[in-house]
Amino acid sequence: MDSGIVDLSRLQFALTALYHFLFVPLTLGLSFMLVIMESVYVMTGRPIWRTVTRFWGTIFGINFVLGVATGLTMEFQFGTNWSYFSTYAGDIFGAPLAIEGLMAFFLEATFVGLMFFGWNRLSKLGHLFATFMVAVGTNFSALWILIANGWMQNPVGSQFNPETMRMEVTDFAAVLLNPVPQAKFVHTVSAGYVIASVVVLAISALYLLQGRWTGMARRSMTVAAAFGLASSLSVVVLGDESGYALTDNQKMKLAAIEAAWHTQPAPAGITVFGLPDLETRTTRYAVEVPWVLGLIATRSLDKQVTGMSELVLLAQERIESGVRAYGAVQTLKADPANVAAREAFARDGRDLGYGLLLKRTMDDPRRATPWQIQQAAWDTVPDVPLMFWSFRAMAGLGFFFIGLFATAFLLCSLRRFDQRWFLRLAVLALPLPWIAAELGWVLSEFGRQPWAIEGVLPTGLAASTLSRGQLWTTLIGFTLIYGALAVIEIGLIVRTVRRGPYAGHDDLAPVPDIGAQPAPAFA
Amino acid sequence: MHLALDYSMLRLIWWVLLGVLLIGFALTDGWDLGIGTLLPFVARTDVERRMAINVVGPTWEGNQVWFILGGGAIFAAWPFVYAVSFSGFYLAMFVVLAALILRPVGFKYRSKRPGLGWRAGWDWALFVGGFVPSLVFGVAIGNVLQGLPFRLNSDLRTYYEGSFLGLFTPFTLLCGLLSVAMVVVHGGAYLMAKLEHGPVRQRARRYGGFAAILSIALFALGGAFVAFGDMGFRIAGTIDPFGASNPLRTTAVQEAGGWLANYAANPWMISLPALGLLGAGLAWLGLRRGWEAPALAGSALSSLGIIATVGLSMFPFILPSVIDPHSSLTVWNASSSERTLFLMLVATVVFLPLVLLYTAWVYRMLWGRVTSAAIATDPDLY
């Protein structure tokens, strides 16, 4: 395979996925915040809560539609750009995507129309039900997508079938109950809730600073503070490190994040700061806190966190076994009944993917020299400095959000909406949760390299056989369209925020703000 | 009769479900595509355009899921078809996606600002988002009927040897125009049923009726291409409906007129193209006379007939290869494993009726004609 094609395909996937993931987490979180706000409206019957719901609903709509539009690209990109991945893994990977459409996306997309157009057609409770269905649908969507992604990280319940030259499912329950996506799901949707909470917090803080629509802003900020505090605790405490002990690649990801070049005696310390050096395979100027990593990663005091060097030795053995499996598959292609090859495949088949790692540098892995196998084994180490720094930035932001929302919660409980330093901080925090979320994606997906499917299919083999001209065309095309849409979207959101809650939907007479006198929460 | 749910039966069911998804897409999203295509022609002032847009305003999102679900279901049940078609039609697929990306944004953003330039821009986006995908889908189906220039190597990696411009031949362009005509009839009938009496509804009836005649003519002409051209494939050798899903184990040959073989063996199949023609005729009559239900039903039956005609004419082929017939994908060699097909069937049997149920409920809740009075007063409308 032309490595340029693979790189361009990866670049396009990364750009389109990262871009899609700007909108999706806000949809995930804001949908549930709308449910909370509208529930308060239904319970209290106070029109201000209807105004609150409808204002954030407008922001939700502007954002939602770009999530939908860019999701189209994602659904088909496996076929257009990763066609070998699609034939190799479609038997398992396709099912969660299809079920996502059937069970989640239909729900979300059908009820979202009712949510926007049904204010005067449904009863209060009926409309709340529509909003709730949208929230359930979007969150179920995330679950199925992460089940698909989790299988790429930890491909359980499946095995290679030499007759069809692809992975086939052996146990669907294992794919569904895979622990990696479970950890990921809670972490990812919580991240979405944090993003939505920061958006509501920041815009409300802006209104309070400007002294505009303060009644709505205070109520919104109270919801954001409570929801954000719960979510930011959840996103950190239920981070997906718990899944990192499971497989060789997940262990490698963890070792790279920690720049753990060698296995340490348990419980391992965490390197808070340092400069990972790829040449010498050491971390310079490391500042270490004892015990913490072992506790986080293994949830125990006595289990080890395996280092990269040890994992590479393991990979080397698996590549050797993978070469034998590759040989067996080649024999079985020509002679499906060959007994010796069948036995060899039964023995070494699970390492076939490791044998395929050698395809990056040669056509026939059976000709690999021990030196080439050693090199290929070191290829299983992802980009250590990238992993190391992405994680620290993401985790640092995670702790910052806990502090931000704890402060917000405290101030809201004390009805102190006049702390201008905090309001300014809340406005400035607006872009931060997106940075954290995108870094999370980088950790998860760059950390999986060199694999498209861990231990099964190297990324270099997964791409479609396209030409560079085709890839540049779509890469430039998507960049232009997405860039233009981003500018338009931000423009519309700024306009909506500037015009405030009574602009587009002025069917209600403006509710006078309660002004300086403190309003009871949720009233 | 014994109806065991064995591998061959599952493959057959999933082939039918593939058709159901395509037809579901054509029947629901067809309204949105058709109205997008008709937008510049039937609606001239801003109020008129908003009326046409709001006919599908609350429902286009749900309708579009048929397209996304189609992608997911083909991936899950027919992974080879997913891989070969979307990578083969690479640039065409990009054009479709680019156009379809503009559509949701057009619906949602158009009325967010009052400027006429802003709105005219999004009207273009909605037109492109309706016309271009309809055209390209038809062109793609035409190419599938002709056979695609792809081959598989022994690892089952796909190599596509065609070009983007190579997709456009007289026959495939005819298929593309037929596809546009189908959605225009469909959109026209829906506009007639959902709009108050007035100029927009009047124009929709006129353009829809014209498109109905056009689709009869194009469908008949397309049939002549298929019957008298050099298109068609045939399985040579034995078929093993239970065999492993490895396309290379099938032997197929190209044979002019091969797409008619199924009609010779099953004369009842002639009812499908007949349905395509008669349905369009009924839609024409309904649009002309202002009979709403017959127009909607006729348009739906016509789409169903035309799509089923293509599928059944090619059976058991799904994607024939014109440069290496040996690589052709069929119902019997390109599916997922038996286990996956079964599990997906269970998921479909559980969820699809549920989807249809709540979709019907939502449509009922949103029932009623879009009026110019509502456009002037209802702040929820686009």
PDB file of all heavy atoms in Angstrom, chain A residues 110, chain B residues 355-365:
ATOM      1  N   THR A 110     -36.513  11.782  14.630  1.00  0.00           N
ATOM      2  CA  THR A 110     -37.954  11.893  14.446  1.00  0.00           C
ATOM      3  C   THR A 110     -38.549  12.836  15.479  1.00  0.00           C
ATOM      4  O   THR A 110     -39.402  13.664  15.173  1.00  0.00           O
ATOM      5  CB  THR A 110     -38.597  10.499  14.542  1.00  0.00           C
ATOM      6  OG1 THR A 110     -37.953   9.635  13.606  1.00  0.00           O
ATOM      7  CG2 THR A 110     -40.077  10.555  14.216  1.00  0.00           C
TER       8      THR A 110
ATOM      9  N   VAL B 355     -40.109   1.959  15.056  1.00  0.00           N
ATOM     10  CA  VAL B 355     -39.777   3.178  14.311  1.00  0.00           C
ATOM     11  C   VAL B 355     -40.978   3.633  13.489  1.00  0.00           C
ATOM     12  O   VAL B 355     -41.364   4.802  13.503  1.00  0.00           O
ATOM     13  CB  VAL B 355     -38.560   2.931  13.387  1.00  0.00           C
ATOM     14  CG1 VAL B 355     -38.397   4.070  12.393  1.00  0.00           C
ATOM     15  CG2 VAL B 355     -37.293   2.744  14.195  1.00  0.00           C
ATOM     16  N   LEU B 356     -41.596   2.669  12.778  1.00  0.00           N
ATOM     17  CA  LEU B 356     -42.730   3.023  11.924  1.00  0.00           C
ATOM     18  C   LEU B 356     -43.871   3.564  12.771  1.00  0.00           C
ATOM     19  O   LEU B 356     -44.550   4.521  12.400  1.00  0.00           O
ATOM     20  CB  LEU B 356     -43.183   1.798  11.116  1.00  0.00           C
ATOM     21  CG  LEU B 356     -42.144   1.300  10.109  1.00  0.00           C
ATOM     22  CD1 LEU B 356     -42.619   0.022   9.426  1.00  0.00           C
ATOM     23  CD2 LEU B 356     -41.838   2.366   9.063  1.00  0.00           C
ATOM     24  N   LEU B 357     -44.047   2.963  13.948  1.00  0.00           N
ATOM     25  CA  LEU B 357     -45.130   3.369  14.836  1.00  0.00           C
ATOM     26  C   LEU B 357     -44.938   4.813  15.309  1.00  0.00           C
ATOM     27  O   LEU B 357     -45.838   5.653  15.188  1.00  0.00           O
ATOM     28  CB  LEU B 357     -45.158   2.417  16.033  1.00  0.00           C
ATOM     29  CG  LEU B 357     -46.511   2.143  16.648  1.00  0.00           C
ATOM     30  CD1 LEU B 357     -47.391   1.400  15.657  1.00  0.00           C
ATOM     31  CD2 LEU B 357     -46.344   1.304  17.918  1.00  0.00           C
ATOM     32  N   TYR B 358     -43.759   5.129  15.855  1.00  0.00           N
ATOM     33  CA  TYR B 358     -43.634   6.490  16.369  1.00  0.00           C
ATOM     34  C   TYR B 358     -43.488   7.515  15.256  1.00  0.00           C
ATOM     35  O   TYR B 358     -43.891   8.667  15.410  1.00  0.00           O
ATOM     36  CB  TYR B 358     -42.579   6.634  17.472  1.00  0.00           C
ATOM     37  CG  TYR B 358     -41.137   6.360  17.165  1.00  0.00           C
ATOM     38  CD1 TYR B 358     -40.419   7.137  16.265  1.00  0.00           C
ATOM     39  CD2 TYR B 358     -40.465   5.345  17.826  1.00  0.00           C
ATOM     40  CE1 TYR B 358     -39.076   6.892  16.028  1.00  0.00           C
ATOM     41  CE2 TYR B 358     -39.129   5.097  17.595  1.00  0.00           C
ATOM     42  CZ  TYR B 358     -38.440   5.863  16.690  1.00  0.00           C
ATOM     43  OH  TYR B 358     -37.122   5.614  16.464  1.00  0.00           O
ATOM     44  N   THR B 359     -42.958   7.089  14.101  1.00  0.00           N
ATOM     45  CA  THR B 359     -42.915   8.014  12.967  1.00  0.00           C
ATOM     46  C   THR B 359     -44.338   8.373  12.551  1.00  0.00           C
ATOM     47  O   THR B 359     -44.656   9.547  12.317  1.00  0.00           O
ATOM     48  CB  THR B 359     -42.158   7.391  11.785  1.00  0.00           C
ATOM     49  OG1 THR B 359     -40.845   7.040  12.219  1.00  0.00           O
ATOM     50  CG2 THR B 359     -42.048   8.362  10.619  1.00  0.00           C
ATOM     51  N   ALA B 360     -45.193   7.353  12.491  1.00  0.00           N
ATOM     52  CA  ALA B 360     -46.594   7.611  12.118  1.00  0.00           C
ATOM     53  C   ALA B 360     -47.239   8.547  13.131  1.00  0.00           C
ATOM     54  O   ALA B 360     -47.968   9.474  12.768  1.00  0.00           O
ATOM     55  CB  ALA B 360     -47.371   6.294  12.037  1.00  0.00           C
ATOM     56  N   TRP B 361     -46.935   8.338  14.409  1.00  0.00           N
ATOM     57  CA  TRP B 361     -47.518   9.191  15.459  1.00  0.00           C
ATOM     58  C   TRP B 361     -47.057  10.637  15.293  1.00  0.00           C
ATOM     59  O   TRP B 361     -47.854  11.571  15.366  1.00  0.00           O
ATOM     60  CB  TRP B 361     -47.118   8.643  16.836  1.00  0.00           C
ATOM     61  CG  TRP B 361     -47.707   9.437  17.965  1.00  0.00           C
ATOM     62  CD1 TRP B 361     -49.010   9.445  18.370  1.00  0.00           C
ATOM     63  CD2 TRP B 361     -47.013  10.363  18.811  1.00  0.00           C
ATOM     64  NE1 TRP B 361     -49.176  10.307  19.418  1.00  0.00           N
ATOM     65  CE2 TRP B 361     -47.971  10.886  19.715  1.00  0.00           C
ATOM     66  CE3 TRP B 361     -45.688  10.792  18.906  1.00  0.00           C
ATOM     67  CZ2 TRP B 361     -47.628  11.817  20.697  1.00  0.00           C
ATOM     68  CZ3 TRP B 361     -45.350  11.720  19.873  1.00  0.00           C
ATOM     69  CH2 TRP B 361     -46.316  12.220  20.763  1.00  0.00           C
ATOM     70  N   VAL B 362     -45.762  10.802  15.020  1.00  0.00           N
ATOM     71  CA  VAL B 362     -45.236  12.161  14.850  1.00  0.00           C
ATOM     72  C   VAL B 362     -45.862  12.834  13.626  1.00  0.00           C
ATOM     73  O   VAL B 362     -46.261  13.997  13.680  1.00  0.00           O
ATOM     74  CB  VAL B 362     -43.693  12.138  14.762  1.00  0.00           C
ATOM     75  CG1 VAL B 362     -43.153  13.475  14.291  1.00  0.00           C
ATOM     76  CG2 VAL B 362     -43.093  11.775  16.109  1.00  0.00           C
ATOM     77  N   TYR B 363     -45.993  12.085  12.533  1.00  0.00           N
ATOM     78  CA  TYR B 363     -46.639  12.654  11.345  1.00  0.00           C
ATOM     79  C   TYR B 363     -48.069  13.070  11.663  1.00  0.00           C
ATOM     80  O   TYR B 363     -48.548  14.103  11.207  1.00  0.00           O
ATOM     81  CB  TYR B 363     -46.639  11.647  10.189  1.00  0.00           C
ATOM     82  CG  TYR B 363     -45.449  11.787   9.263  1.00  0.00           C
ATOM     83  CD1 TYR B 363     -44.276  11.109   9.514  1.00  0.00           C
ATOM     84  CD2 TYR B 363     -45.516  12.615   8.140  1.00  0.00           C
ATOM     85  CE1 TYR B 363     -43.175  11.239   8.683  1.00  0.00           C
ATOM     86  CE2 TYR B 363     -44.422  12.751   7.295  1.00  0.00           C
ATOM     87  CZ  TYR B 363     -43.258  12.065   7.567  1.00  0.00           C
ATOM     88  OH  TYR B 363     -42.181  12.205   6.733  1.00  0.00           O
ATOM     89  N   ARG B 364     -48.758  12.268  12.475  1.00  0.00           N
ATOM     90  CA  ARG B 364     -50.134  12.577  12.822  1.00  0.00           C
ATOM     91  C   ARG B 364     -50.204  13.864  13.660  1.00  0.00           C
ATOM     92  O   ARG B 364     -51.058  14.716  13.447  1.00  0.00           O
ATOM     93  CB  ARG B 364     -50.746  11.413  13.601  1.00  0.00           C
ATOM     94  CG  ARG B 364     -52.241  11.240  13.355  1.00  0.00           C
ATOM     95  CD  ARG B 364     -52.720   9.992  14.059  1.00  0.00           C
ATOM     96  NE  ARG B 364     -52.643  10.124  15.499  1.00  0.00           N
ATOM     97  CZ  ARG B 364     -53.660  10.474  16.279  1.00  0.00           C
ATOM     98  NH1 ARG B 364     -54.837  10.714  15.761  1.00  0.00           N
ATOM     99  NH2 ARG B 364     -53.514  10.576  17.579  1.00  0.00           N
ATOM    100  N   MET B 365     -49.262  13.970  14.583  1.00  0.00           N
ATOM    101  CA  MET B 365     -49.222  15.165  15.434  1.00  0.00           C
ATOM    102  C   MET B 365     -48.985  16.417  14.604  1.00  0.00           C
ATOM    103  O   MET B 365     -49.421  17.508  14.964  1.00  0.00           O
ATOM    104  CB  MET B 365     -48.072  15.044  16.445  1.00  0.00           C
ATOM    105  CG  MET B 365     -48.363  14.138  17.610  1.00  0.00           C
ATOM    106  SD  MET B 365     -49.542  14.942  18.685  1.00  0.00           S
ATOM    107  CE  MET B 365     -50.754  13.695  18.880  1.00  0.00           C
TER     108      MET B 365
END
